Structure formats: structure tokens, C-alpha cells
Amino acid sequence: MIQSFKRLSKDKILYLMLMPAFVYFIVYHFWPMLGMTLAFQDYRVIGNNVWVGLKYFKILFGSPVFGNVLMNTVIISSMKLIFCFPVPIILALLVSEVRNSLFRKCVQSVIYLPHFLSWVVIAGIWINMLSPNGGIVNHIRNLFGLPSIDFMTSKQHIRWVLVFSEIWRSAGWDSIIYLAAIMRISFSLYEAAYIDGASKFQQMFYITLPELKSTIITVFILNLGYFMNAGFDQVYNFMNDSVISVIDILDTYVYRVGMVNVQYSYATAASFFKGIVGCVLIFITHILSKKLTGKGLW
Amino acid sequence: MNKDKLFHIVIYILLFLIAMTMIIPLLNIVALSLTKPEGALEFKGWEIIPKGFSLINYKVILSNVMVLKSIFNSLFITGMGTLINILMTTMAAYALTRPSLIGKRFFMTLLIIVMVFEPGLIPEYLVIKKIGLIDNYWSVILYKAVNVYYLIIIMRFFDEIPKSLIEAAEIDGAGHMRILFKVVLPVAKAAIATIGLFYAVYHWNEYFRASIYLNSQSKWPLQVVLRQFVVLDDTTSMIGVNNLLSYSDIARLNYKALQATTIIIAVIPILLLYPLILKYYTKGTLEGGVKD
């Protein structure tokens, strides 16, 4: 009797230990999730909100700005997927060939660093780098006889600025996962290739790369799952009036319409739409990942 | 054989150039912040040695009340936030890895829902408003109080701790709290340090929630002030009211150099922690396969 009571009170403590995290999830996650119903209501400051059905979704899909924002999101995400994705793989291949451990350590410490800087800091550094007067990028252009470009206000270039700054920030850090995979490759494979007379480059191309296939697939489908997040922090900090029409993405749009223009219901409808598409993508990712690699997201 | 040597030389040169593209912009900002105001005007983006050494930019920025207060705010939010992160995450992870816990499946399903469904910005803002946390530090400190991915990593670590260790403590009459703090946490020190760093870096770099939840400027963390100064180019508020300079000194100041100085001040804690980050964070990422 005393024994079982003791056990119960002991387990009660377990629930108490879970409590803070549980309460946090309720307040910061589940309550706002219920709040997404605001997308189907008219927001009232005083009194209860009124249900209006799909009114805001109809406005949303009828709005040319929303169409543009959706396009920007898809374009920027696709550009990042195509151009940012291969860089960490190449970087890992390069780093894995370095035998001098001091050089290797130095390179790794340097290329991981940008990952730990906030987008505010990175935006500051990049605005300085891309400046038409004294910026390093335009200096290099001038050396080759090319005219200076004000990248930050150029509609043609700003998306490429997003792509390259993303590479600058995360390629090094993202290469870790591939490096780990390369280190797991059996040494005997290389030995056999060496005996067959394969050059270093051939070994990289015919052994390392194929061995990396499953890691590459995993990372790729993971990225696919977060396709709708085109990079809020980055875009928010690189945005200005001259380029807003080409880099305004769903998240920055929701922020502007909701927090700045205080159109709560309309903004919630936009993020509801984004949430639905995002969820579908994550579930597809999960299923794809389970099928192809045997490991899902959860 | 010669071909392989050439191949390696090409790789070394390539990596050297890549590393340079990452470190030169940073060194350039450091050098600019240390340059004398007179030299700052001709200071170019590829230079990494200060033109005439001077700490005046640091003096100006660090005598700005807004900056000083924001550094304190950032330290408070980061310290408090990380402490709460570690406590809440380890307690939850411990409870969820006890075999006797009833309802584990239920809690795990909740975690997956949190992982997959992202609540919108506006509903979240309205909840924070409803519970009265607008313009309160706690709205920012508690944002991301528990990260599900890190929670799962810690659970994996706790699962690997030998059962006999915990059973022995139980036989000695230790309660769950005691077991967690005296037995489990010391064993999982490296894992805790890893996620602690993850959380700390996150808090230090966070600016967006702070900028929407904290209305009074006196509560802003450093990153929000930095954004104001550098990204939004609001240079008028950079020079503090009670700094010790004469008007002619102020007139000489270079705003780009002041912006560079603010950037460096915001990066210093990361650089101080960097050796630890490389040691724990990188290892944790290699082993845990975490991507964030």
C-alpha cells in the first residue's frame, strides 16, 4: 500500500517535470494554431469575431500582389535549391582531400563561422561588401573593366544576392553532414581503385560521389519540405523599397499586411495558406524519405 | 602521380580562396571599426589593416545609452533564456525517457504536431497580447523555450545512459529530481553543453520577435539596435547624448565606421564562444545529424 502510493507520488513528479514544456507548447504553439481560425473570421477589437467563411481567401487569391508574392517565394526557393544545394557537397569533397590537418582545421573554422552570425550582422557585412563606392565586389568588377552596380537596389541582381549570401552563410556548415558521410566510406574502396590506377579525381568521381548518394537524397528532400520558407530573416534584412516587388515572399508579406497594416484576418489567411502547402510538402517529404532512405522525419 | 599532385594543389588553392571570401569581409569590418575617423572615408572593402589606429568609434558606440542598455538586455535575455531552455528541455527529456511514464505516446504525438505545424505569426502575436506579455522581456525569453529537435536529441542521449546507474540511485531512495540533477545531468554534460550553445547562439542572434513584442526602446536587445543602425541606416541615433566628445569631434566621425563597430560588438560573444562552439556544436552536429 505504502509502496504503491510512493510510486504514484514519484511519477507525479515526472508529470510536474513535463509540465513547463507542456504549458509552453500549449501557449506558444497549440493556442496560436487554434487562432488560425481567424482566417475565416472578421477580427473585432471589441466583442466576438464574426465568421465570414472563405471571404479572406477569395480576396487573397484575387489579389495580384499575393500572386506576385507567391511567385517570388517559388522563384527564390527554387533558385536556392538549384544553386545553393550543390555547393556544400563540392566543399565537402574538397575539404576531405586535404591531408594537412592544420590547414584543414583553419579552413573548417573559417567556413563554419558565418553560420553563427545573425542575418542582421550578415546584411550589414554584405551591404558594405556590395556598396558601389568602396565595396569589394564592385572593386573586383572594376578591375576587370566592368562598371559598378548598386546590387542592393537592383531588381535584376537582388535575388542573386540572396542566393550568394545564403551560400556564404551556410555552405560551410552544411558541408559537415557530407564530410561525416565521406569519413564513413571504407578505405579499401580507394585502395582497390588506386591499384587499378585511378587518379585522385577519378576516385572522387567514381567512389566518393556515388557513396554520398543517399546522404544527398536525404538532404535534398529535407530541403524540399521547407520549400515555402524562402528565408524570412534574410529577405527581411535585404529588403528595401526599390527591390520589394521581386523579393517580397509569403512570410514578409504576412508580416507587412498583418503587423504593419494591422489586417489580422487577411494576413492570417495568407499564412494559413502557406501553412497548408508547407504541411503537405513536409508530409510528402516524410513519405519520400521513408521510401527512399528508410528514415522519416519523425 | 604528378597529376594527383596538381589535383591537390588546385584543391588547396580553391579552399584558400573560399576561406578568404569568408574571412576578408569580417576582417575588413574589424579594421574599419579600428580606423581613425580621418582614414575611414578612403577605407576600401578589401583592406584588412586599420588606417591609423583609434578606439574612438568604440568609445562613441559604447557611450550610447541605447547600445549599453541593449547589450545588457541581450545578455539578460540570452542568459535567462538559455537557462530556462536547458531546465525545461532536460526535465521534459528525463520524464519522457522514464519507462514508467504513462501517456508517452500522447506526448510524442504532441511533439510531432509542434514540429510539423507552424502557427502563424498573427495568431501568435494575438496570444502574446492576450496573456499580457507585450513589451515584457518574458515574451522573448520564452519564445522557443523548448525546441523539439533539441529535446529529441537529449532524449536520445538520456536513453543511452545505462539503466543500472538510475536504478542504483532509485534504490538509494533518490527522487526523480535528484536523479536528474545528480546522476543524469553530470553524465550527459557534453550533450547539455551542445544544446546549451545551440540555444544561446539562437537567443543572442534573435531580433525579430523582440522587434515585434518589445515596444519600448529601452527593452530592445542589441540585434534590434544593430538593425536600426546598420540595415535601416538610422545613423542619427548612433551618437549617444552623453558621450564625452566635443562638437568638432562628432563632426569628424564616420558613420560607416560606427556601423562597423556596432556589427563587431554584436559578433564578439559569438567569437568568444567560437572555440567551444567548434568543439561541442560541431561534434554534436556530426553525431546527431542535426541540420538547422
Side-chain angles (χ1 to χ4, degrees), chain A residues 184-205:
Chain A
R184 279 196 294 267
I185 300 172
S186 159
F187 188 68
S188 56
L189 282 174
Y190 293 103
E191 249 172 343
Y194 176 75
I195 290 162
D196 287 345
S199 72
K200 274 279 170 196
F201 184 74
Q202 284 169 322
Q203 289 174 30
M204 196 192 252
F205 205 78

Side-chain angles (χ1 to χ4, degrees), chain A residues 39-267:
Chain A
F40 305 94
Q41 298 170 329
D42 260 331
Y43 177 78
R44 296 278 163 86
V45 182
I46 302 160
N48 289 327
N49 298 344
V50 186
W51 290 92
V52 291
L54 294 175
K55 175 181 159 192
Y56 286 104
F57 288 93
K58 278 177 193 149
I59 304 177
L60 202 64
F61 294 123
S63 148
V65 179
F66 179 74
N68 181 44
V69 164
L70 197 57
M71 268 313 276
N72 286 342
T73 310
V74 172
I75 292 172
I76 291 169
S77 263
S78 308
M79 280 171 81
K80 284 189 181 172
L81 213 51
I82 295 167
F83 297 104
C84 300
F85 182 76
V87 183
I89 304 171
I90 298 167
L91 208 48
L93 288 175
L94 295 179
V95 171
S96 70
E97 288 295 332
V98 174
R99 293 282 163 266
N100 182 318
S101 69
L102 181 69
F103 181 77
R104 184 182 171 135
K105 255 191 192 146
C106 288
V107 165
Q108 280 177 306
S109 324
V110 169
I111 64 176
Y112 296 164
L113 183 61
H115 173 81
F116 299 99
L117 308 178
S118 72
W119 271 112
V120 184
V121 167
I122 295 176
I125 295 172
W126 274 67
I127 290 168
N128 180 52
M129 258 179 14
L130 296 175
S131 148
N133 34 43
I136 189 167
V137 177
N138 275 314
H139 174 70
I140 293 169
R141 283 180 61 87
N142 295 342
L143 284 182
F144 288 99
L146 296 162
S148 290
I149 296 173
D150 190 354
F151 291 96
M152 292 304 294
T153 57
S154 158
K155 276 188 190 151
Q156 289 168 309
H157 297 96
I158 193 72
R159 283 178 183 155
W160 290 106
V161 173
L162 295 182
V163 168
F164 281 102
S165 58
E166 179 73 48
I167 291 175
W168 188 82
R169 185 182 118 102
S170 45
W173 183 251
D174 290 349
S175 70
I176 285 187
I177 194 158
Y178 300 108
L179 262 177
I182 292 173
M183 286 190 290
R184 279 196 294 267
I185 300 172
S186 159
F187 188 68
S188 56
L189 282 174
Y190 293 103
E191 249 172 343
Y194 176 75
I195 290 162
D196 287 345
S199 72
K200 274 279 170 196
F201 184 74
Q202 284 169 322
Q203 289 174 30
M204 196 192 252
F205 205 78
Y206 292 107
I207 300 173
T208 317
L209 216 47
E211 288 285 316
L212 277 182
K213 209 173 81 188
S214 75
T215 312
I216 293 173
I217 293 172
T218 310
V219 177
F220 187 80
I221 46 187
L222 278 175
N223 285 350
L224 217 54
Y226 297 101
F227 190 78
M228 294 304 273
N229 299 337
F232 173 81
D233 286 301
Q234 182 192 26
V235 172
Y236 185 64
N237 283 303
F238 278 94
M239 189 120 88
N240 54 59
D241 289 341
S242 2
V243 292
I244 187 165
S245 63
V246 288
I247 62 168
D248 197 15
I249 54 172
L250 277 163
D251 283 329
T252 47
Y253 183 63
V254 167
Y255 166 74
R256 224 183 30 260
V257 178
M259 300 305 300
V260 182
N261 301 344
V262 207
Q263 292 178 270
Y264 289 151
S265 296
Y266 182 73

Side-chain angles (χ1 to χ4, degrees), chain B residues 69-78 137 218-221:
Chain B
K69 189 80 180 67
S70 74
I71 292 175
F72 170 77
N73 290 338
S74 279
L75 288 173
F76 175 68
I77 291 170
T78 305
Y137 287 119
S218 64
K219 288 178 181 152
W220 281 0

Side-chain angles (χ1 to χ4, degrees), chain A residues 7 10-11 15 20 22 24 28 32 97 99-100 109 113 116 118 128-129 134 139 168 173 200 226 233 237, chain B residues 4 8 12 21 25 28 45-46 88 100 102 110 123 139 142 144 149 176 205 207 223 227 231 274 281:
Chain A
R7 196 191 159 85
K10 254 189 144 178
D11 274 3
Y15 291 101
F22 188 67
Y24 162 75
Y28 274 80
E97 288 295 332
R99 293 282 163 266
N100 182 318
S109 324
L113 183 61
F116 299 99
S118 72
N128 180 52
M129 258 179 14
H139 174 70
W168 188 82
W173 183 251
K200 274 279 170 196
Y226 297 101
D233 286 301
N237 283 303
Chain B
D4 281 357
H8 270 125
Y12 276 68
T21 64
N28 172 254
W46 53 93
M88 279 169 71
S100 64
I102 299 160
L110 288 187
S139 60
L142 291 176
K144 290 273 151 82
Y149 295 93
H176 285 303
N205 283 340
Y207 68 95
Q223 300 282 342
R227 189 177 140 77
V231 179
Y274 200 52
Y281 213 111

